[in-house]
């Protein structure tokens, strides 16, 4: 039950995030819900793992999630 509650908190936090801009280049950056982030930064309980194309990969508790500008939804990253 505790695990289900943690997953709900994670899903709720992800649902509130909006990927607004991705800036690719030597030092990729993204704007998530008004905050500029780089690889390695923390946003809430998530760490920014990858910024590529129109997607940002976030990790928390060993699980990867992907935030996409195009699709505007979150899902477990398939890697």
């Amino acid at each position: 039950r505790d695990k289900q509650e943690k997953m709900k908190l994670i899903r709720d936090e992800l649902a509130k995030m909006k990927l607004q801009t991705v800036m690719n280049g030597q030092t990729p950056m993204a704007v998530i819900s008004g905050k500029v982030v780089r690889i390695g930064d923390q946003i809430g309980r998530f760490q920014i793992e990858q910024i590529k194309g129109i997607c940002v990969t976030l990790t928390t508790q060993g699980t990867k999630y992907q935030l996409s500008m195009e699709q505007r939804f979150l899902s477990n990253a398939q890697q």
Side-chain angles (χ1 to χ4, degrees):
R1 183 176 189 135
D2 190 39
K3 188 175 181 179
Q4 287 178 335
E5 288 175 13
K6 285 181 183 179
M7 288 303 297
K8 183 182 180 333
L9 290 173
I10 289 169
R11 283 193 306 270
D12 289 349
E13 189 172 343
L14 284 168
K16 293 176 185 174
M17 290 185 185
K18 180 180 177 188
L19 179 57
Q20 298 168 294
T21 305
V22 174
M23 296 162 273
N24 296 293
Q26 189 173 357
T27 305
M29 293 182 281
V31 178
I32 300 175
S33 301
K35 181 179 179 185
V36 177
V37 294
R38 295 173 180 82
I39 294 170
D41 286 354
Q42 289 284 134
I43 186 164
R45 67 180 75 228
F46 301 93
Q47 182 170 8
I48 307 300
E49 184 172 292
Q50 184 179 48
I51 299 171
K52 188 174 182 181
I54 58 169
C55 298
V56 174
T57 302
L58 311 162
T59 59
T60 187
Q61 299 178 3
T63 304
K64 294 180 184 182
Y65 298 89
Q66 193 171 73
L67 188 56
S68 172
M69 284 179 41
E70 185 174 273
Q71 298 167 339
R72 297 184 66 161
F73 71 88
L74 300 152
S75 62
N76 281 350
Q78 302 295 320
Q79 290 189 359

